[in-house]
Amino acid sequence: MTVPIVQTRQLRLQMGERLLCEQLNLTVQAGQRLAVLGQNGSGKTTLLHALLKLGSVDEDRIEIDGRALSQWSRAELARRVGILFQDNHDDMPASVHETVMLGRLPHLPAWRWEREKDFAMANQALTTVGLEHLARRDVGSLSGGERQRLAIASLLTQAPTLYLLDEPSNHLDIAFQISTLSLLSATVKRDHSALIMATHDINLASRFCDHTLLLHGDGTYTFGPQADVMTDETLSRAYGCDIRHVVTDAGQFFYPFT
Amino acid sequence: MSPLRQYTLLSALTVLLGASIVIALSSGSVSVPVSSIWQQLLNPVPGIEQQILWELRLPRAMAAFVTGGLLALSGVIMQVLLRNPLADPYILGISGGAAVGALSVILLGVASIWITQAAFAGALLSVFVVFGLAGRQQWSATRLLLTGVVVSAGWGAIINVMLTTSNGNNVQSMLFWLMGDLSQSRTGSWHFALLLTGLLLILSQARALNALARGELMAAALGVNVSRLKLLLYFTASILTATAVTVAGSVGFVGLVIPHMLRLLGARDHRWLVPCSVVLGGSFLLLADSLARTLVAPQQLPVGVLTAMIGVPAFLFILHQGARSR
């Protein structure tokens, strides 16, 4: 049995005084892609942030690569775990290229300049998301979708082992949602890395993930292989509305009926 | 921006600095030809030129350079710390605290050598008051900014009370101090050491600053120890500003405008922005002070007036050019 990339033991998530989830036992193995689903405010983002030491949780109850999170330094963690935030801030001016290069920050020793390899990774990532022609542009002049693609390029440049995606489809048109997630999904399988994605889009989750964590928002959760968790009954209960699946020749889709 | 262009920018600024020093040393009520500046500096010949250079202009030029460098460096730091392009070294009330200290000395008629100490003490008081109110628990940039601005306003009120209740003679010295003036300034080697230390310290964090400019969460996700970095930035910027203010009073505009000028010229990576700011800030104040001494000679203007008079059009010009090229 290999050491899982992420494991939580009896983890408790809360937002201020509000309990979001308790006794959460989660395991993500190399090569796996986990979708985190749940209503607004059910703790999806809180969980992703907790895995990156960005929240206040008991860091001894989370293990990355079999080592308690409390034993990881921020710098070490950033080489291993990367996140796509729900929104990006760009109050200060920076070019597209400079922003992508930030992804290399965790991998460079102090006082070392980026090398050919780092520039190559950044250029490759920009090409992947189709922004290479905007490399010299100021971030402030990009559209919402372009900013999201830039953030994805930055994450690709960081090349972590665990990808945390918070609403990756935000601002993206349908074609880019599919191409981005196909790419990340393929990357995870190829590199035996892992991906955890918080999303509102049940169908994206069902298409690109193999495991599901459903947060009910009242402290309880359902976790397991996708086919076990993503059933009409469980989804309907979690979202508080009647969700049914529709089978088409392209696969099955979920749709709310009330 | 390619490293080549960055090198070119830094080299050009260094040349500008050299020229600014020569201008500062040669211009004034008695103009000293460039050829004899070299001679006097390398091999002083006793006389009026030697006296003017060594006793008046060189110390004043040194003070101008150090003040400009300190303020520009501090401005860069504050803008990233608060992630607010309008931030300047004084935004958190340091100059207000220093001014209350300095003005009290003038008001009480104590020997003017105490102005420096009182200003420094006032600045430190302000630094700790703001930190105590905003920085103890989770200090967000907004909370820090609001606290600083409000404390600043408080100092402003005290300054106004002092100005309105003083007699005419004192008011003029007070106004010179408030606008920033280098005529009484003297610097020692420790000022240079402090500037160099600050520069190296911030340079060592330059990449983390690049990340912090994209937000605290982003910086933390990229492996930066954000709370430690913020403490370092706050106290470094505070000490740099407090020192600048004790040398020359609150010279405005340098700390706000120099970093922006450089960003518009393409130096947004802090590994370049930080050293370029020090060099350009120093040159800028050298040139402004040369004008302050000569424009309405034999009378002298406070240098703070000149920084705004040069800075406003220069900044607007670059801003306009930048917008067009985009």
Side-chain angles (χ1 to χ4, degrees):
Chain A
M1 181 85 187
T2 51
V3 178
I5 291 185
V6 179
Q7 182 149 41
T8 68
R9 291 197 177 91
Q10 310 280 315
L11 180 68
R12 180 189 172 88
L13 295 174
Q14 53 187 62
M15 184 61 132
E17 293 298 299
R18 195 157 65 95
L19 171 73
L20 300 170
C21 191
E22 60 184 344
Q23 306 201 335
L24 176 63
N25 293 312
L26 197 65
T27 309
V28 181
Q29 301 281 355
Q32 285 182 354
R33 295 151 303 159
L34 170 71
V36 183
L37 302 176
Q39 286 178 307
N40 292 333
S42 58
K44 302 188 290 294
T45 299
T46 309
L47 173 63
L48 294 191
H49 285 194
L51 296 176
L52 205 45
K53 284 169 94 111
L54 299 177
S56 49
V57 292
D58 183 351
E59 292 177 357
D60 286 321
R61 297 189 174 276
I62 302 176
E63 283 179 12
I64 305 281
D65 292 341
R67 183 150 65 104
L69 194 60
S70 51
Q71 306 296 310
W72 288 78
S73 78
R74 267 202 187 294
E76 258 182 314
L77 200 58
R79 287 192 282 274
R80 200 78 178 139
V81 185
I83 189 168
L84 178 72
F85 284 110
Q86 212 174 105
D87 19 54
N88 308 297
H89 300 276
D90 34 48
D91 312 324
M92 304 298 287
S95 76
V96 167
H97 183 259
E98 286 160 351
T99 307
V100 173
M101 286 308 289
L102 276 181
R104 297 312 294 158
L105 177 79
H107 301 281
L108 294 168
W111 299 103
R112 161 94 64 80
W113 289 82
E114 295 89 352
R115 296 183 171 175
E116 264 328 298
K117 188 192 94 190
D118 304 302
F119 287 111
M121 286 183 79
N123 291 335
Q124 173 67 47
L126 280 181
T127 310
T128 304
V129 301
L131 286 182
E132 72 281 9
H133 60 293
L134 299 180
R136 293 170 64 92
R137 278 268 289 275
D138 193 274
V139 177
S141 70
L142 299 182
S143 75
E146 286 166 342
R147 278 178 214 200
Q148 180 74 349
R149 278 147 65 188
L150 174 59
I152 292 165
S154 198
L155 180 62
L156 290 171
T157 310
Q158 189 179 351
T161 309
L162 174 61
Y163 291 84
L164 305 175
L165 312 177
D166 200 351
E167 301 293 352
S169 54
N170 262 2
H171 303 291
L172 291 182
D173 60 47
I174 292 180
F176 260 106
Q177 293 181 11
I178 302 300
S179 66
T180 304
L181 287 172
S182 303
L183 170 86
L184 286 169
S185 190
T187 309
V188 164
K189 279 189 216 157
R190 187 195 63 210
D191 299 345
H192 297 287
S193 40
L195 178 156
I196 302 180
M197 139 175 143
T199 182
H200 287 296
D201 192 327
I202 304 176
N203 291 309
L204 272 186
S206 95
R207 179 163 170 182
F208 290 104
C209 296
D210 41 49
H211 284 67
T212 310
L213 169 66
L214 199 50
L215 297 171
H216 300 295
D218 57 357
T220 64
Y221 68 94
T222 316
F223 167 64
Q226 180 166 289
D228 299 351
V229 180
M230 287 184 96
T231 60
D232 293 357
E233 194 199 343
T234 322
L235 288 174
S236 298
R237 182 166 87 86
Y239 284 99
C241 78
D242 183 19
I243 297 173
R244 291 182 221 161
H245 71 277
V246 181
V247 181
T248 73
D249 48 5
Q252 80 172 11
F253 292 89
F254 291 91
Y255 198 80
F257 277 86
T258 45
Chain B
M1 193 190 216
S2 66
L4 184 66
R5 266 192 73 188
Q6 308 271 27
Y7 276 119
T8 315
L9 181 63
L10 187 55
S11 313
L13 292 176
T14 313
V15 173
L16 175 69
L17 174 61
S20 313
I21 294 173
V22 171
I23 291 171
L25 293 182
S26 73
S27 63
S29 46
V30 176
S31 110
V32 179
V34 177
S35 52
S36 52
I37 290 178
W38 267 123
Q39 199 203 334
Q40 289 291 354
L41 287 184
L42 295 174
N43 199 355
V45 181
I48 182 82
E49 277 191 354
Q50 184 251 2
Q51 262 187 351
I52 288 175
L53 269 184
W54 281 93
E55 283 163 33
L56 294 174
R57 291 197 190 155
L58 198 57
R60 187 157 171 169
M62 279 164 40
F65 172 77
V66 166
T67 309
L70 287 170
L71 288 176
L73 181 54
S74 173
V76 172
I77 300 172
M78 285 293 188
Q79 285 167 7
V80 186
L81 177 66
L82 300 169
R83 277 173 309 291
N84 189 323
L86 290 177
D88 77 352
Y90 307 141
I91 197 158
L92 297 182
I94 296 176
S95 65
V100 169
L103 266 51
S104 312
V105 170
I106 299 174
L107 191 67
L108 296 172
V110 187
S112 65
I113 49 162
W114 287 100
I115 289 181
T116 311
Q117 279 83 344
F120 198 74
L124 283 189
L125 176 68
S126 190
V127 167
F128 284 104
V129 165
V130 171
F131 184 74
L133 291 173
R136 286 259 210 67
Q137 306 101 16
Q138 283 289 338
W139 52 322
S140 72
T142 317
R143 191 179 152 92
L144 185 62
L145 184 61
L146 281 175
T147 312
V149 167
V150 169
V151 170
S152 240
W155 292 127
I158 301 177
I159 291 168
N160 283 338
V161 169
M162 288 175 157
L163 283 174
T164 44
T165 53
S166 315
N167 63 39
N169 241 350
N170 281 347
V171 168
Q172 181 161 13
S173 344
M174 287 179 176
L175 285 178
F176 263 69
W177 197 94
L178 286 173
M179 283 183 267
D181 176 41
L182 285 158
S183 57
Q184 309 293 326
S185 303
R186 290 296 174 265
T187 45
S189 50
W190 73 268
H191 288 95
F192 283 86
L194 187 82
L195 178 58
L196 188 66
T197 311
L199 175 63
L200 290 177
L201 194 64
I202 297 307
L203 260 185
S204 75
Q205 301 298 320
R207 268 201 317 231
L209 292 188
N210 288 341
L212 188 60
R214 317 254 45 92
E216 287 180 21
L217 268 183
M218 181 58 94
L222 288 171
V224 176
N225 186 334
V226 174
S227 39
R228 200 178 64 191
L229 178 63
K230 286 200 300 186
L231 273 181
L232 176 82
L233 294 180
Y234 178 73
F235 283 103
T236 308
S238 299
I239 294 205
L240 297 178
T241 308
T243 309
V245 168
T246 53
V247 172
S250 32
V251 179
F253 225 68
V254 184
L256 172 67
V257 155
I258 298 293
H260 281 305
M261 276 188 186
L262 289 163
R263 286 197 190 98
L264 290 166
L265 289 170
R268 285 167 304 206
D269 184 333
H270 286 83
R271 289 173 289 185
W272 293 103
L273 179 59
V274 165
C276 285
S277 291
V278 171
V279 176
L280 184 59
S283 312
F284 181 68
L285 211 55
L286 276 166
L287 291 174
D289 188 51
S290 304
L291 280 176
R293 287 184 290 121
T294 50
L295 217 53
V296 289
Q299 225 191 337
Q300 299 201 354
L301 289 169
V303 69
V305 174
L306 268 298
T307 53
M309 275 166 71
I310 308 170
V312 169
F315 183 67
L316 291 177
F317 176 75
I318 294 177
L319 187 65
H320 185 67
Q321 290 291 312
R324 266 207 327 210
S325 71
R326 207 170 269 156

